[in-house]
Amino acid sequence: MFASISFYFSSSSAVYGEHDGAIEESRGPLLPKSNYGAMKLASEGIISAATEAWLNRAFVFRFPNVIGPRLTHGVIFDLIEKI
């Protein structure tokens, strides 16, 4: 008997590309504008294929990039500071 295998993947809202407002995640177009977003989307595709072949369950979490007035460090903060 095979062991039950679950996989958890931290993706990104970068898979949606640029949008003016909020998008509905289940129907939003997947048009990444960066290599980062494209690789996250490609990873999701590989995970999906694995669930069809041998992986029992997979969970993909698409975390948004959060920008706000209390942001004090990190990649997004540094990018904004350079602009």
Side-chain angles (χ1 to χ4, degrees), residues 30-61:
L30 300 173
L31 302 168
K33 300 288 183 191
S34 65
N35 287 335
Y36 174 77
M39 290 299 104
K40 287 291 190 176
L41 184 56
S43 298
E44 290 181 22
I46 291 169
I47 292 165
S48 178
T51 59
E52 294 294 323
W54 56 271
L55 190 62
N56 290 39
R57 296 187 311 173
F59 301 91
V60 175
F61 302 94

